[in-house]
Each structure stands twice: as structure tokens, then as C-alpha cells.
Amino acid sequence: MIDQLVSGFQAALTFYNLLFIVAGLVLGIVIGVIPGLGSVTAMAVLIPVTFYMSPLSAIAFLVGVNKGGTSGGAVPAVLLNSPGTPESAASALDGYPMTRRGEPVRAMKFALYSSVTGDMISDILLILLVVPFAAIALQFGPLELSAVLIFAFTLLAGISSLSPLKGLIAIFGGVFLATIGLDPVDSTARMTFGQIRLYDGLSLSAVAIGSLALASVAGQLLEMIGRRVEHADGGPGAPVKPGRSALPVSEFVGHWKTIIRAALIGSGVGMLPGLGVTLAAFLSYGAAKRAADDPDSFGTGNPDGIIATEAANSAVVGANLVPAIALGIPGNVAAALLISAFIIHGIVPGPFMLTMHGDIIYALFASMLLANGLHLIVGRLGIPIWALISRVPKHYVLPVVVVLCITGVYLPAQSMFDIAVMLAFALLGLIMNRTGIPVVCLVIGFILGGLFETSMRQSVLLYKGNINVIWSSPIALVFLFLSILVILRAIIRSRK
Amino acid sequence: MLLKGRNDIIAGLFLAVIALGALFWVIPFGIETSTGSGGMSPKFVPQVAAVVVLVLSLLLVVNGLLQTATATDKPETGNTFVYAVIWSVFCLVCWFGLSTLGFIVTSIAVIAVWGFWTGAREMLVLAALSVGVPIVISLGTRFVFSIYLP
């Protein structure tokens, strides 16, 4: 593994690769600091731009966007008490009081250093765990894979929304949409109605950008109509007493217990499908508060609150690639978008990825580690700039994002049809967001639908439709049993 | 009495109708072969997905009906409907604009109208943004990717 990692570093240490990582980080942070947008929007909009890059540069760029977008949300949380992303909400609890007492730069440094450290720990765990995970996954046949996918679907549905029913509806809606196009076995045209453009199925970037990025922007724009623009407390002109801005490394390292706890919580959450970055951040914040000698100081400007939140939410970024690379199952929507980028660049996610594209995967790992160092430099140098960007009013930013979405979807195939698909999915996403049906489940169902169908049909072919074969596969049995448990638990929880 | 489950009932009924449409129109008329090679029809997975959505949607309706007896909070369905209508009109206008007027003109209108409508009142900034961004994007895609936007 060390040899492969060294080779990975050799491949990753090129000028262009580093440039793309830095560009990804900068764009990710810039989009992340704008309240209402985040790493998912940033990745969705920027995926089409990667079509013109090599697979490694493309994935490294998107990893940079994801890392930057996740940590960027802390800037407005700390400065304006207005988190740029949901996962940074807990950072505002202690970051903003620090700003009010004249330590905004120190608070942002705590956020940045924690973010980079949590991310680094998570990346190391990813590198160590992905091979054993993939080795186990290689034992899976189509039957076991079908069972794992059913488990992932139920876990996602049970956790990603208050109603497991809505989660499952969205997932199977996504699976249904994934069947549009040519049949994977006998190439029969399915639900294309003579449209040649649909033979390859619905465009993944159109579906993802429409339902995730554009739907979110549309919702915010529509909410803003007729409302007076509100300035967050502590916005431009708010009086802030000058205070400490220095943060010696020794002081930061002194919080090592919180850092490691947060990174492990974030990594654990990241490895399980559907749990999400926000949950990791709040779990970690709660754990840090419970473990503290002075829990009452949380919420009044305790740096441990920022560290716990930022280290945990950034730790999800690396860890969610463990199931994505080992099994082809994304841990969250950011990983789902990364998987879509893998697919777009001809890399099929799953256990064979390490054997077929081992060079790219280890170069990706190296890029992720390099990105952490670059993140520290870019983030540290840019603190004054991010602070300015976070104050740009949304009514100037969001319409521009609409235009960027249109451009992003048009670029890959130069197809007006894809723009129509995106606009339609934005409408669908808007309605789903407002009715509490999780869009994330729809997108993940759409991404995994093809794999689910293929593995199911292979199982039927292989075992000649004999359903009793399930009893001969302990792995499939365990995952199906776990699926039933997850559904029952979710139903009981939703009844309370 | 306002119904807490009203949103769920409407969403469930709407989804059930879509699932029925998929089962009785889209799948039968959209997939020609009834039996595929290897024993499983190409219709099988779409049908399973549609049936699951139908059943779960009906369960959502039942769930919504059960919630109505006690809940009194205000539903948001009205807003959702208005938002959906506004967005649909925008989509149609945007699509028509892109097809006939092209990217730059449509994008200028998109940024200017949405910006003004959502509260931007610094006209110089809005004008610079709405004219500058589409031109920069158009030139960027032309010279960087050699792609001409519509």
C-alpha cells in the first residue's frame, strides 16, 4: 500500500493537479461562505466543468470543492451568526460569541485548523480502511450486493427524513427514473417514447443540478420575494471590540482530545450511508459538551464548540468515500456527486475500482492529503477575503447561481433538452423540499438504481429465480435482517 | 380545523396518481418487449419501483388522515402550490428565451428580474452584474471550452 501511495503522490504532485485542487478549494470556500449555498451546490454546479479535465484532476478538483465548501460554511457562522451551511450551524453557537468579544480571526482560525485536522484524520482512516472493506466487498455476488443496496436504501430512508415513508418513496422514485433509457441486458428502449436523447437515460448532471442545487436556490429566491432583506446581527458595521487574534499551534494542539473525538465521530458517521454531515457536527458538539469540565461555557464562546463541530463535519468528507469506493454506495449526497463524477469519467465505483483503477484511486488519496495542506494555506491566507464574501447579499448571488446552473448543464452535451430536464427537476426538487420528501434520497436512488437493477437481474439469472437461495447466503440474510430492523426502528421513532 | 396531515394527503394522492400513470400508461406504452432475455422482463424493475411508490404513497395518505384528528398547525400547501406555479412559469419563459433569444439576453433578464424581485435595489450593481456575468460566462465557455452557448 505504501508503494502505491508513493506512486499516487508522484502522479498527484503535478502543477496542474495542484492548481485544480487550489481552484476547487477556493471555489468551494467561496460558495460555502455564502449563506444558503454549500458544498453540495458547489459540487453540483461544478461537475460539468470537470468534463474537460483528466479523471484525476477532475476528482481532485471536486474533492477540493467538497473540502472547501464544508469548511467555508463556518465563516458566516462565526462572523454573522448565519451559518453558510447546515453543518456549520453548531459553529455559530460558540464562534459568534467569540466574534462579539473581539476574537473573530481567532475563532476562524480554530474553525480552519479543526477542519483541516479532522479532514486529515478522516483521510488517513479512509486510506487504511478502504482496502479491507473492498476485500470484503469482493466476496459479494449479485445477491449480496442487492441485499447491501436494499440495506443502504432503508438506512437512507430511515435516517435522512422524519418520515421513512417519504424517504422510501423518493428512493424508489429515483430507481424508477434510473430505468429510463436502454435496458442494461437486452438494450430494449424503455420509456424513451422515441426520444433518442433518452437512450442513455436522463442526464445525471441535469438531475443532480436541478434537484439539488437549482431547487434549493429556487426555494430561497421564492422565499425572498416581497420580504425585506435582513442583515444578520453583527453584519457590516456592527461594533466589535478588538481582541486576541493569534492562535499558537500549542494552544490548538492542547484541545487534542476534542479534535480526535470529533474526527472519529465524523468518520464513523461518514462511513454509514445517509447519516449526513449535519448530524456528525451536532453529535460531536453534544459529545464535547458532555465531556467538558465546564459544559455551561458552551454557547458562550468556548473554542471546543467550534473544534468539535468543524473537525467532525470535515471528517465526514474523507470517510464517506469508504463505502463509495469499496462498495459503490455513497455515504451522503456529496459522495453521491463524487460517484457520479467517477462514472462520468469512466470509473465504475465499487470493489473493482481498486484493482482496475488503483493508480487513480491512490493518486486521489494523495491528492486528498495534499489538499489538506493546501486547504490550510488557502484558508489561512483568505480569511479577510472570505469575511468580505460572506457579506454579499443573497439577492445578488442567487440569480447568478441560476445562470451558472444553466451553463453547467448545457456544457457537457450542449443540449437544450438537458436544460429542460434540469428545470423540470428543479420544480420537482422544490415541491419535494416543501413537502418534506428528501431530494437526496431521490438522487441517490437515481444513481444507484442502475446498479440495483443489474444486481437484481443477475441474481435472478444466476439462481434461476429461486428465492430460497437467500437462505444460503449469510451476508444477504444479515443485510436483509438489518434492513427490516432499520425500517421497524424508523417506524417506531416516527410514531413517537 | 386546519389539518397537519393535509400536505401528506395531497402529496400522497399526487404521487399515487403519478405511480398509477406510470403503471398503466408509461410502462405499458413505453416498453415494448414483455419478456426479456434470461427470464426477467425489462418492465420488471420499473414496475416494482412504481408499485412500491404507489403503495407507499397510499400509506402516506393514510398516515396523513390519521394525523388530522389532533393537529392544528397551519399547512404550507398553498405556498407550495404558488411557488410551483411561479417556478413553472419561470421555467417556460426561461426555456423559450434560451431557445429564441439566446443565452446572453435570457441570462441578463434572469439576473435582473430575480435580483430586483428579491430585493436588490442598488441599480448600478444589479445592472453590472446582470450584464457582466452572462457576457463573461459566454466568452469564458467560448474561449476556454470552445463551446458556444445557445
Side-chain angles (χ1 to χ4, degrees):
Chain A
M1 188 175 76
I2 299 291
D3 291 343
Q4 287 165 307
L5 202 55
V6 170
S7 305
F9 269 104
Q10 285 170 345
L13 270 170
T14 63
F15 175 73
Y16 283 111
N17 198 44
L18 295 177
L19 193 69
F20 283 126
I21 293 173
V22 171
L25 283 165
V26 171
L27 286 170
I29 296 174
V30 166
I31 296 176
V33 300
I34 297 167
L37 305 180
S39 56
V40 170
T41 305
M43 288 174 73
V45 172
L46 292 169
I47 278 178
V49 176
T50 68
F51 288 9
Y52 303 90
M53 302 176 188
S54 69
L56 174 60
S57 298
I59 308 294
F61 172 77
L62 290 173
V63 165
V65 172
N66 195 11
K67 285 176 189 286
T70 306
S71 77
V75 176
V78 166
L79 293 180
L80 307 172
N81 200 22
S82 168
T85 51
E87 58 264 27
S88 298
S91 296
L93 299 176
D94 286 282
Y96 187 62
M98 284 184 77
T99 297
R100 297 299 298 165
R101 68 172 184 241
E103 299 177 8
V105 175
R106 215 166 97 83
M108 281 195 283
K109 284 179 184 171
F110 265 118
L112 175 68
Y113 298 168
S114 314
S115 187
V116 171
T117 315
D119 210 347
M120 182 64 93
I121 292 170
S122 156
D123 290 349
I124 292 168
L125 283 174
L126 163 70
I127 295 165
L128 292 175
L129 292 178
V130 76
V131 174
F133 264 65
I136 295 168
L138 279 173
Q139 309 300 316
F140 291 6
L143 183 66
E144 288 78 11
L145 192 56
S146 300
V148 170
L149 285 168
I150 289 170
F151 172 64
F153 287 161
T154 53
L155 195 61
L156 194 66
I159 292 164
S160 62
S161 84
L162 288 174
S163 161
L165 272 179
K166 291 180 179 176
L168 281 174
I169 288 172
I171 287 172
F172 281 92
V175 171
F176 178 82
L177 292 170
T179 60
I180 294 172
L182 294 181
D183 176 77
V185 176
D186 61 10
S187 297
T188 307
R190 295 191 296 186
M191 296 173 278
T192 57
F193 295 97
Q195 282 280 345
I196 294 172
R197 293 185 193 93
L198 281 174
Y199 277 22
D200 284 337
L202 293 168
S203 155
L204 183 53
S205 54
V207 171
I209 293 176
S211 57
L212 293 171
L214 195 54
S216 160
V217 170
Q220 292 180 63
L221 283 169
L222 291 163
E223 288 280 347
M224 285 162 67
I225 293 171
R227 278 193 193 167
R228 197 173 166 276
V229 180
E230 293 170 9
H231 286 286
D233 184 19
V240 175
K241 292 177 291 182
R244 281 180 70 195
S245 62
L247 176 58
V249 174
S250 57
E251 187 184 342
F252 176 71
V253 174
H255 297 270
W256 64 273
K257 281 184 188 169
T258 310
I259 297 166
I260 290 176
R261 187 192 309 110
L264 291 178
I265 289 173
S267 300
V269 168
M271 284 180 214
L272 291 171
L275 295 186
V277 188
T278 310
L279 178 71
F282 279 98
L283 276 180
S284 174
Y285 187 87
K289 192 174 176 180
R290 280 194 299 276
D293 296 330
D294 53 346
D296 292 340
S297 68
F298 277 71
T300 61
N302 187 335
D304 271 336
I306 304 174
I307 293 170
T309 308
E310 291 303 314
N313 67 27
S314 292
V316 174
V317 173
N320 63 25
L321 286 181
V322 174
I325 292 176
L327 297 166
I329 296 170
N332 62 14
V333 72
L337 290 173
L338 270 179
I339 279 193
S340 70
F342 280 128
I343 295 167
I344 285 163
H345 287 276
I347 303 167
V348 179
F352 291 106
M353 213 169 156
L354 282 164
T355 47
M356 292 174 72
H357 302 284
D359 51 342
I360 292 177
I361 297 304
Y362 278 95
L364 169 66
F365 292 161
S367 299
M368 290 175 80
L369 296 175
L370 289 169
N372 291 331
L374 294 169
H375 187 182
L376 192 63
I377 298 166
V378 170
R380 177 69 190 81
L381 292 175
I383 282 177
I385 302 166
W386 317 141
L388 280 177
I389 294 169
S390 68
R391 290 180 164 88
V392 176
K394 281 204 281 187
H395 49 241
Y396 291 121
V397 176
L398 296 179
V400 173
V401 177
V402 174
V403 173
L404 286 174
C405 288
I406 292 170
T407 313
V409 166
Y410 184 79
L411 281 182
Q414 289 108 64
S415 162
M416 287 294 290
F417 183 77
D418 285 353
I419 294 180
V421 171
M422 177 193 68
L423 292 170
F425 271 88
L427 176 65
L428 183 67
L430 177 72
I431 296 170
M432 288 175 76
N433 284 334
R434 305 228 13 122
T435 47
I437 300 174
V439 182
V440 175
C441 290
L442 179 89
V443 175
I444 293 184
F446 180 72
I447 291 172
L448 294 180
L451 183 64
F452 180 61
E453 177 173 17
T454 306
S455 58
M456 261 185 70
R457 292 177 71 168
Q458 282 174 342
S459 303
V460 171
L461 279 172
L462 201 62
Y463 302 110
K464 298 183 173 52
N466 178 14
I467 201 161
N468 289 324
V469 78
I470 292 172
W471 302 108
S472 65
S473 168
I475 296 172
L477 270 179
V478 166
F479 278 106
L480 290 175
F481 178 69
L482 286 174
S483 307
I484 293 166
L485 276 187
V486 169
I487 288 287
L488 287 176
R489 184 182 171 278
I491 291 169
I492 291 165
R493 201 184 58 174
S494 64
R495 291 254 167 253
K496 284 181 182 172
Chain B
M1 187 177 70
L2 296 167
L3 307 176
K4 184 181 180 183
R6 208 181 88 169
N7 277 354
D8 284 359
I9 295 168
I10 294 171
L13 286 174
F14 182 71
L15 287 164
V17 169
I18 290 180
L20 282 171
L23 276 172
F24 293 105
W25 183 70
V26 178
I27 296 172
F29 292 103
I31 307 174
E32 287 174 10
T33 317
S34 56
T35 43
S37 54
M40 194 185 257
S41 164
K43 290 180 178 177
F44 180 71
V45 173
Q47 276 172 336
V48 167
V51 167
V52 170
V53 170
L54 176 65
V55 171
L56 294 175
S57 304
L58 294 175
L59 281 174
L60 192 64
V61 174
V62 173
N63 201 34
L65 288 169
L66 291 175
Q67 286 179 39
T68 58
T70 54
T72 53
D73 52 342
K74 191 181 174 185
E76 291 185 4
T77 317
N79 252 353
T80 305
F81 181 72
V82 173
Y83 284 4
V85 170
I86 294 174
W87 187 254
S88 303
V89 171
F90 164 72
C91 290
L92 289 173
V93 172
C94 186
W95 166 258
F96 180 76
L98 285 167
S99 307
T100 54
L101 303 171
F103 173 80
I104 292 183
V105 175
T106 309
S107 299
I108 288 172
V110 165
I111 297 174
V113 171
W114 275 116
F116 186 79
W117 207 9
T118 53
R121 291 294 179 269
E122 292 169 42
M123 292 305 161
L124 269 180
V125 178
L126 190 59
L129 207 63
S130 53
V131 175
V133 168
I135 291 174
V136 168
I137 291 174
S138 185
L139 291 175
T141 55
R142 186 175 303 180
F143 292 111
V144 177
F145 303 123
S146 303
I147 290 173
Y148 289 77
L149 294 172

